[in-house]
Amino acid sequence: DAKTTQPPSMDCAEGRAANLPCNHSTISGNEYVYWYRQIHSQGPQYIIHGLKNNETNEMASLIITEDRKSSTLILPHATLRDTAVYYCIVRVAWGAQKLVFGQGTRLTINP
Amino acid sequence: GAVVSQHPSRVICKSGTSVKIECRSLDFQATTMFWYRQFPKKSLMLMATSNEGSKATYEQGVEKDKFLINHASLTLSTLTVTSAHPEDSSFYICSLRVNQETQYFGPGTRLLVL
């Protein structure tokens, strides 16, 4: 599975949009981009995933660049409960099922 | 609602004893479950893939005789930490594959070995 690079930490004001970047320059054509988050002392929570089109659900939006070498997770109106470590993972959906976690981005939402 | 449950949520044991952690799928039949370990301020590390009705597949460096995995039914996988030592103290998390694209994680079990 391709490796990803994320900033170790970010801050965002409550109520503003939080934009979390992820670089995955070695991504293959059949690899998806997944985002999970882990709130302190809890198991990871699935957020969203995509292949090449932008995706949106009730939690977030995922913007993938045209060359697929990077993506951005957008939390449109961040709340204090969004404070967590966010993991960007790329993997083949239909092949090996295991998720390999990097170090993620520690997002802190400030009041 | 929750898809995956773990029991216990916290456990403290003496060094040398064995501890069993249960991972239950609440809404899905899971032929494959995964076990992760997470040390403080570190990322999750995959330990093994649990396969229903067959032997688990362990990641490199994980001792299969120390971390016994049993996946006897489509809704239950257990991880037994045998002869626990203080360095086994960690946060153990299971996950299950809901479909080809999505995995859901349990709430985790915090193990402290004294």
Side-chain angles (χ1 to χ4, degrees), chain A residues 13-54:
Chain A
E14 187 179 18
R16 304 296 293 271
N19 299 292
L20 292 92
C22 180
N23 286 323
H24 31 80
S25 58
T26 59
I27 192 171
S28 300
N30 60 350
E31 289 183 313
Y32 286 68
V33 180
Y34 286 79
W35 283 84
Y36 284 78
R37 73 179 182 184
Q38 186 178 25
I39 296 171
H40 182 63
S41 294
Q42 297 183 24
Q45 177 188 23
Y46 166 80
I47 300 174
I48 199 168
H49 76 282
L51 183 62
K52 53 183 179 181
N53 296 322
N54 297 337

Side-chain angles (χ1 to χ4, degrees), chain A residues 1-2 32-37 44-49 87-93 95-102, chain B residues 32 34-37 43-49 59 94-97 100-105:
Chain A
D1 291 339
Y32 286 68
V33 180
Y34 286 79
W35 283 84
Y36 284 78
R37 73 179 182 184
Q45 177 188 23
Y46 166 80
I47 300 174
I48 199 168
H49 76 282
Y87 296 98
C88 169
I89 302 169
V90 295
R91 60 177 284 265
V92 177
Q97 300 301 315
K98 57 186 182 182
L99 291 172
V100 179
F101 286 80
Chain B
T32 303
F34 304 90
W35 285 97
Y36 293 80
R37 178 168 56 180
S43 187
L44 285 79
M45 290 179 53
L46 180 66
M47 299 176 66
T49 302
E59 295 299 301
C94 70
S95 74
L96 62 89
R97 178 169 57 106
Q100 291 286 3
E101 299 178 329
T102 309
Q103 285 188 22
Y104 287 99
F105 288 79

Side-chain angles (χ1 to χ4, degrees), chain A residues 51-96:
Chain A
L51 183 62
K52 53 183 179 181
N53 296 322
N54 297 337
E55 303 288 340
T56 296
N57 63 21
E58 64 279 4
M59 290 184 67
S61 294
L62 174 60
I63 307 298
I64 302 174
T65 58
E66 193 169 341
D67 63 7
R68 302 205 329 120
K69 292 185 178 182
S70 66
S71 61
T72 301
L73 178 74
I74 301 173
L75 307 178
H77 304 287
T79 70
L80 298 179
R81 287 177 292 182
D82 292 322
T83 293
V85 178
Y86 287 77
Y87 296 98
C88 169
I89 302 169
V90 295
R91 60 177 284 265
V92 177
W94 301 94

